[in-house]
Amino acid sequence: MTNQPGPVPLLIACALGIEHLALRTGDRGGAGGPYTVVRTGMGPRAAERSVTGRLGDPALADAAVLATGFCAGLAPGMHPGDLVVAEETRDPRGTVACVGTELLVKELARLLPGRTVHTGPLTGSDHVVRGPERSDLLATGAIAVDMESAATLLSAVRAGDRPVAAVRVVVDAPEHELVRIGTVRGGISAFRVLRSVLPAFTEWHRSLLLPRR
């Protein structure tokens, strides 16, 4: 899914078909701005390959990169449909600071009044996190975990100096573990929230990246 190309594009990366569907069906022509949404495939290696390859295209060489999709919340009190705006992403290979966190929080709160927006470190994993492992990751200071954001942003900054960010929707949490996306209320709630976030991403892009010096 690609909007009209421009001199400073935005690459939005998600992993799963259902995440791509949410973003595609949520774009009703009001988001605006030059952006491309890419489905990377699941897991950090797939994300790294996909993002590195896309940024090798001259048309996207200078693109800002935003990772999105679903995540697992780590902190007690989180609920499906909550939003996570990463202050940084981290995995064993390194930590990447995110840009424009406050703006994303503001825009998401405007678009989705009543939805809770959490900010903090977003950690990466190479597998789906369940049960007691959540507590171990929470003890590191992370508030949420997913499999692709850290690899996406690390690949992006290694390919060149650019603004990066990560916004995730909680699909399960310590008190609300999800077995299969889309079969329970939590998955449906998260899908609906993800359908609504694209305008916040393009506003982040316009406000922080244009004009670029």
Side-chain angles (χ1 to χ4, degrees):
M1 180 173 67
T2 304
N3 205 16
Q4 292 300 314
V8 184
L10 169 62
L11 182 65
I12 302 171
C14 63
L16 305 177
I18 193 170
E19 296 167 341
H20 190 269
L21 177 65
L23 293 164
R24 178 170 57 83
T25 57
D27 180 11
R28 298 181 176 85
Y35 64 88
T36 297
V37 178
V38 58
R39 178 185 172 188
T40 65
M42 192 165 115
R45 291 184 179 179
E48 181 178 1
R49 284 194 303 267
S50 180
V51 171
T52 300
R54 287 299 185 116
L55 295 177
D57 180 346
L60 292 172
D62 295 325
V65 174
L66 190 147
T68 194
F70 302 129
C71 70
L74 300 175
M78 296 180 97
H79 296 88
D82 285 2
L83 289 141
V84 172
V85 177
E87 294 176 337
E88 65 182 30
T89 59
R90 54 168 75 156
D91 70 10
R93 298 184 301 164
T95 298
V96 178
C98 296
V99 175
T101 299
E102 291 183 2
L103 175 61
L104 281 166
V105 170
K106 177 182 176 182
E107 287 300 312
L108 291 167
R110 181 182 65 81
L111 286 170
L112 292 157
R115 288 287 176 185
T116 301
V117 182
H118 306 269
T119 60
L122 176 61
T123 195
S125 174
D126 62 1
H127 60 276
V128 176
V129 172
R130 298 291 186 197
E133 192 175 0
R134 292 179 191 268
S135 298
D136 296 338
L137 292 175
L138 179 64
T140 71
I143 63 168
V145 57
D146 75 87
M147 295 175 65
E148 298 83 23
S149 291
T152 293
L153 268 55
L154 187 60
S155 299
V157 298
R158 284 180 172 176
D161 183 23
R162 71 188 75 246
V164 294
V167 176
R168 290 275 171 171
V169 181
V170 175
V171 75
D172 70 343
E175 296 92 351
H176 306 273
E177 282 212 341
L178 179 67
V179 177
R180 287 182 295 171
I181 293 173
T183 62
V184 297
R185 184 175 300 172
I188 295 169
S189 175
F191 180 86
R192 289 174 174 167
V193 171
L194 190 58
R195 287 185 65 189
S196 304
V197 297
L198 190 58
F201 299 168
T202 55
E203 182 60 28
W204 171 81
H205 179 229
R206 281 194 296 265
S207 298
L208 294 180
L209 309 179
L210 301 176
R212 197 165 179 202
R213 296 187 176 95

